[in-house]
Amino acid sequence: MFRIVKKKVLNPSVKLLEIEAPFVARKAEPGQFIILRVSDEGERIPLTIADYDREKGTVTIIFQEVGKTTMLLGALEEGDYILDFVGPLGVPSHLEGIKRAAVVGGGLGTAIAYPQAKKLHSLGAEVDVITGFRNSSLILLEDELKKVSNRLFITTDDGSNGNKGFVTDVLKKLLEEGNKYDLVIAIGPLIMMKMVSQLTKQYGVKTIVSMNPVMIDGTGMCGGCRVTVGGKIKFACVDGPDFDGHEVDFDEAMRRQAMYRVQEKKSLEDHVCRLGGVFNA
Amino acid sequence: MPDMSLEKVKMPEQDPKVRSSNFNEVALGYTEEMALKESQRCLNCKTRPCVSGCPVNVQIPDFIRLIREGDFEGAYNKIKETNNLPAICGRVCPQESQCEKLCVRGKKGEPVGIGRLERFVADWYMANRETRAKAVEKNGKKVAVIGSGPAGLTCAGDLAKKGYDVTIFEAFHVPGGVLMYGIPEFRLPKALVQKEIDTVRSLGVKIMTNMVIGKVLTLEDLKNEGFEAVFIGSGAGLPKFMGIPGENLNGVYSANEFLTRINLMKAYKYPQTDTPVKVTGNVAVVGGGNVAMDAARCAKRLGAKNVYIVYRRSEDEMPARLEEIHHAREEGIVFRLLTNPIRIIGTDDGWVSGMECVEMELGEPDASGRRKPVKKPGSEHILEVGTVIIAIGQSPNPLIKSATPGLKTQEWGGIIAQDETGATNIEGVYAGGDAVTGAATVILAMGAGKKAAKAIDEYLRNKK
């Protein structure tokens, strides 16, 4: 059992939990993830490590309430326990030797991009951070990101923060202006990572994306998380989750993500029904 | 006088028509009368060939004699002297190729039902006695066991009995390894597996779940934490795919994923549980081993109308136990033998709609000694299925190897370990079970765990 030491609501559907998990905290690195389970009948879901504190022995996760498991997780309070919490899994991001980077986060992906930006910044790299949200009420980690970036650009789809557009618009402008990056890191919805990768390919800038497919064990055992990269089958849990964005077959990844959509919706509806709520799909 | 009937006392089973739609155990076990009657068939012969066929050396004629005398508790204790997991072995051991194969009674008629008797004794004990471990004087030496499958549990149990302070590190949220995620409920009830594991715990073995060794701790870390020896029993958890087009379509599963969802995550109870599994009306399972039979029988129970076993050789070459093949047939699984998939076909939005296969014929024997299947020209045909489960084998999981650069492995991933001791090339590090051999049986893994426990004991006693 793993105790929740801190809870923070970041926006209406995104929450942060800091969890006591000393073994995980000891080894965690940016780019890695954990798998958790909240109840005996529950599923195992992967979540990226958003932060860690080796001294306190805690690991921070940030998640959006999109399904039954994340809703159950979001309902837990400080002092409550998470049943199972295993990690750190996956290969850490290779960030050494990077002098100039653009870190691009879409929506919740911003939370996952934060530790990468932080690490790059601590290694002395010049870091531009570009994040995008649907509207200004959803903006995440603005203060934290300011501290670890040289420039921070925040866009909203509806322009409610005064900067209407997509992250790709900003990145394109920066590249057109002649900004040279050793590395672009893109983390967010598959469609956003695909668009960023298509853009950077034209400019020949190396691009790393973080894949988050359906997983069970997270140790290479089930193969459910397979992704085609450069024409070869890779397992996101052990070969990734970071992959070369120019090599990933995003269209296949998007199809595979839909595999359990019907069941996921049913689990959520049943759960909301039991809570006595009303579900609007 | 021994009972000289040529056949074993039959074990009651659930009717195939009923059981093919539930996950309850298929075989129901002997009653006391049946066990007493079957025990009379043992000649208690002097040569005891059965014992030499048992990888963990169970003193078979002795425990059967105790059953005959009505001393079921004594029979249980006799088995437990060398076997930490009798309720499991009595169910999933391939007795027909081990102890029962060598039974004198098998020369004329059926051998003694050793497996059925072992199961009876273990079940009787669980139902009638509390498990109490004898207090063992601790020697204060710490041993780490990686993996809580049959190899790890056996090694840990044996070492604890010798006084070692043993901790098992398990990657999943429950211990048991393949006994939990692989073998289905209807062949090996999970509550029973947990009860057997409790008997290992009662010896003083600690089990830490959610610990992926190679990630959360390395072998080096374990050494620094004071573990003087390590046993690696991490199993064969890396699924093989065929390398044919269409394997990433929605509806294609590795047998590992399919079975893990159903067994470990209990997807057969969905939506009471949260993990789903998708089974369509027509299902193809590729492969001919026990895992393929398990996957096919699970698919049937989840409502598939037609389940095909697609296997490229003939039934004679099938690695699955005869009993499993027989059970699968009884439940209506269709065998498409001498058939090999060449492509999985999908719909525009990425779901499986069929599998193209070719017919095969058997040619000359290959390296495995089995006749090599050769393609029949012009025999391409399409099997209309919406789910494909690939059960063509598993390799050892590479996580520990990748975190332990010095550890020597075979090219295909198996850890190199000495046959008799399980010693690897690193001092104090032992390995056994599927992590060494590639996918094999529960009992062979237990045998390897046992040998390693003995070797670890010798190593630590001789270490100054």
Side-chain angles (χ1 to χ4, degrees):
Chain A
M1 300 281 275
F2 300 82
R3 197 166 66 97
I4 298 168
V5 296
K6 191 170 117 190
K7 178 179 180 176
K8 215 163 132 185
V9 177
L10 300 184
N11 79 28
S13 69
V14 175
K15 289 172 181 166
L16 172 153
L17 295 178
E18 188 179 342
I19 295 147
E20 222 166 56
F23 280 110
V24 185
R26 235 201 270 175
K27 287 284 171 78
E29 292 288 346
Q32 290 189 294
F33 64 96
I34 56 93
I35 283 186
L36 61 76
R37 215 166 66 106
V38 284
S39 73
D40 259 330
E41 306 300 317
E43 59 181 342
R44 293 167 64 96
I45 60 160
L47 291 171
T48 305
I49 294 169
D51 210 348
Y52 48 84
D53 186 325
R54 298 207 205 284
E55 273 176 26
K56 273 167 72 187
T58 60
V59 172
T60 301
I61 51 170
I62 296 176
F63 57 95
Q64 188 159 16
E65 295 182 356
V66 287
K68 181 180 171 185
T69 304
T70 43
M71 278 185 79
L72 287 171
L73 190 62
L76 296 175
E77 299 297 336
E78 287 177 9
D80 288 346
Y81 288 83
I82 292 174
L83 186 60
D84 296 296
F85 193 88
V86 54
L89 301 167
V91 181
S93 303
H94 298 294
L95 302 175
E96 280 73 19
I98 303 292
K99 292 196 178 61
R100 199 154 177 228
V103 177
V104 187
L108 183 73
T110 302
I112 305 164
Y114 168 66
Q116 325 261 354
K118 189 176 161 187
K119 175 98 180 200
L120 281 165
H121 183 75
S122 76
L123 290 170
E126 191 180 318
V127 185
D128 287 344
V129 173
I130 308 161
T131 64
F133 301 89
R134 271 184 292 128
N135 64 58
S136 62
S137 77
L138 302 175
I139 292 173
L140 294 171
L141 302 179
E142 188 172 354
D143 295 338
E144 287 84 348
L145 283 166
K146 252 183 207 150
K147 280 184 214 150
V148 297
S149 58
N150 296 71
R151 290 187 286 180
L152 173 63
F153 305 88
I154 303 176
T155 67
T156 45
D157 297 1
D158 67 354
S160 51
N161 76 331
N163 192 13
K164 187 176 160 80
F166 297 113
V167 286
T168 38
D169 300 333
V170 177
L171 182 62
K172 188 164 190 226
K173 191 160 162 268
L174 289 169
L175 290 166
E176 272 173 358
E177 284 169 6
N179 288 285
K180 297 263 182 257
Y181 297 110
D182 303 328
L183 180 69
V184 170
I185 298 177
I187 304 175
L190 287 167
I191 184 70
M192 169 236 147
M193 294 196 288
K194 178 183 172 179
M195 300 316 264
V196 169
S197 298
Q198 277 178 357
L199 174 67
T200 57
K201 198 167 182 179
Q202 293 165 28
Y203 290 85
V205 184
K206 188 181 169 189
T207 300
I208 294 294
V209 296
S210 178
M211 303 299 281
N212 188 17
V214 171
M215 277 184 199
I216 306 177
D217 58 289
T219 64
M221 219 195 76
C222 79
C225 64
R226 53 199 191 277
V227 179
T228 301
V229 183
K232 292 197 178 78
I233 293 184
K234 297 280 179 190
F235 290 179
C237 66
V238 287
D239 300 320
D242 287 359
F243 291 107
D244 182 340
H246 299 157
E247 300 280 339
V248 170
D249 183 340
F250 285 104
D251 295 337
E252 179 190 270
M254 284 187 252
R255 286 196 297 267
R256 288 183 66 77
Q257 194 126 57
M259 174 113 183
Y260 294 103
R261 199 150 283 165
V262 176
Q263 286 87 346
E264 285 159 1
K265 197 172 153 218
K266 178 171 172 43
S267 286
L268 179 62
E269 280 172 358
D270 287 359
H271 175 64
V272 174
C273 273
R274 274 198 294 278
L275 292 178
V278 181
F279 183 80
N280 296 308
Chain B
M1 268 300 285
D3 176 343
M4 293 310 288
S5 51
L6 294 180
E7 284 176 15
K8 294 176 186 174
V9 174
K10 290 221 166 11
M11 180 160 57
E13 285 179 353
Q14 264 200 83
D15 185 278
K17 283 199 194 73
V18 177
R19 73 181 193 233
S20 62
S21 59
N22 72 48
F23 274 80
N24 299 334
E25 196 171 10
V26 169
L28 302 171
Y30 277 167
T31 59
E32 285 190 19
E33 292 77 40
M34 292 172 185
L36 283 169
K37 185 161 166 45
E38 183 62 22
S39 70
Q40 318 259 339
R41 294 186 66 237
C42 176
L43 303 175
N44 202 3
C45 55
K46 282 212 180 67
T47 49
R48 301 157 74 92
C50 52
V51 178
S52 62
C54 176
V56 297
N57 220 23
V58 170
Q59 299 301 301
I60 295 162
D62 297 345
F63 95 76
I64 295 181
R65 179 178 46 78
L66 288 160
I67 296 178
R68 202 157 52 226
E69 292 166 4
D71 181 3
F72 303 143
E73 184 165 0
Y76 178 81
N77 289 331
K78 181 52 74 181
I79 297 172
K80 284 286 279 191
E81 280 175 13
T82 59
N83 183 350
N84 289 322
L85 312 167
I88 293 166
C89 291
R91 286 171 167 80
V92 302
C93 263
Q95 290 98 7
E96 68 281 1
S97 56
Q98 297 174 359
C99 51
E100 293 183 17
K101 184 183 174 188
L102 301 172
C103 175
V104 173
R105 293 296 306 266
K107 287 184 183 151
K108 196 178 167 203
E110 287 185 342
V112 174
I114 300 169
R116 294 173 184 183
L117 289 172
E118 180 179 35
R119 171 188 164 142
F120 165 77
V121 168
D123 289 359
W124 180 90
Y125 190 89
M126 278 190 184
N128 295 291
R129 293 287 181 275
E130 282 275 308
T131 298
R132 265 165 299 137
K134 275 183 241 137
V136 180
E137 201 181 320
K138 293 281 163 206
N139 65 20
K141 289 186 172 153
K142 280 169 71 179
V143 179
V145 170
I146 303 170
S148 63
L153 288 171
T154 303
C155 186
D158 277 14
L159 286 167
K161 283 185 201 163
K162 291 184 204 294
Y164 291 93
D165 179 1
V166 186
T167 305
I168 300 183
F169 296 92
E170 165 58 43
F172 269 127
H173 52 270
V174 285
V178 73
L179 306 171
M180 289 303 287
Y181 75 74
I183 304 175
E185 177 79 15
F186 55 82
R187 280 216 291 135
L188 185 64
K190 301 306 148 215
L192 181 145
V193 174
Q194 290 308 312
K195 259 187 145 173
E196 285 278 53
I197 292 172
D198 285 342
T199 68
V200 175
R201 273 203 190 95
S202 76
L203 296 166
V205 171
K206 282 171 274 196
I207 302 179
M208 288 183 77
T209 53
N210 295 316
M211 295 293 276
V212 181
I213 301 301
K215 286 289 173 191
V216 70
L217 293 172
T218 60
L219 294 194
E220 195 63 31
D221 294 331
L222 290 173
K223 209 171 139 194
N224 295 336
E225 301 263 339
F227 291 99
E228 295 185 52
V230 178
F231 174 75
I232 306 172
S234 50
L238 188 72
K240 285 184 192 154
F241 287 91
M242 293 180 285
I244 62 173
E247 279 187 299
N248 279 6
L249 287 165
N250 288 356
V252 180
Y253 287 101
S254 72
N256 263 1
E257 178 181 0
F258 188 69
L259 291 172
T260 300
R261 282 178 178 273
I262 294 167
N263 300 324
L264 182 78
M265 305 309 296
K266 306 210 183 311
Y268 65 92
K269 292 186 185 163
Y270 177 88
Q272 279 84 49
T273 55
D274 292 338
T275 305
V277 66
K278 220 160 179 155
V279 170
T280 53
N282 294 342
V283 175
V285 179
V286 182
N290 289 324
V291 172
M293 300 303 137
D294 284 345
R297 295 171 71 193
C298 282
K300 191 81 186 180
R301 281 162 172 77
L302 289 167
K305 236 166 109 191
N306 300 302
V307 181
Y308 306 103
I309 288 275
V310 177
Y311 181 56
R312 64 196 178 119
R313 303 181 200 244
S314 74
E315 187 164 338
D316 288 343
E317 288 84 20
M318 272 199 167
R321 290 180 70 188
L322 280 179
E323 186 184 315
E324 302 308 325
I325 297 171
H326 170 72
H327 277 149
R329 274 231 164 83
E330 275 187 342
E331 289 166 15
I333 309 295
V334 179
F335 287 69
R336 291 289 183 101
L337 303 172
L338 291 164
T339 302
N340 202 29
I342 50 173
R343 174 167 75 101
I344 302 169
I345 305 158
T347 59
D348 289 342
D349 53 354
W351 291 82
V352 174
S353 60
M355 185 165 79
E356 187 172 359
C357 301
V358 286
E359 287 174 30
M360 311 294 278
E361 49 199 356
L362 292 179
E364 296 298 307
D366 64 9
S368 74
R370 298 180 297 181
R371 291 174 64 194
K372 193 184 158 113
V374 197
K375 202 153 99 182
K376 255 194 219 170
S379 65
E380 289 82 0
H381 61 282
I382 289 169
L383 200 57
E384 276 183 33
V385 291
T387 308
V388 174
I389 301 161
I390 302 169
I392 56 169
Q394 302 88 237
S395 331
N397 194 307
L399 266 188
I400 291 171
K401 160 70 188 159
S402 62
T404 319
L407 185 65
K408 285 205 174 122
T409 59
Q410 315 274 3
E411 243 168 72
W412 50 268
I415 297 170
I416 297 175
Q418 285 175 21
D419 258 1
E420 278 314 302
T421 61
T424 68
N425 66 304
I426 302 177
E427 195 194 319
V429 177
Y430 296 75
D434 286 3
V436 170
T437 57
T441 60
V442 167
I443 188 69
L444 286 175
M446 289 176 61
K450 205 165 191 64
K451 284 179 184 169
K454 188 164 167 272
I456 288 171
D457 178 45
E458 276 163 21
Y459 163 70
L460 291 179
R461 274 193 288 121
N462 294 331
K463 206 174 133 192
K464 47 145 193 61

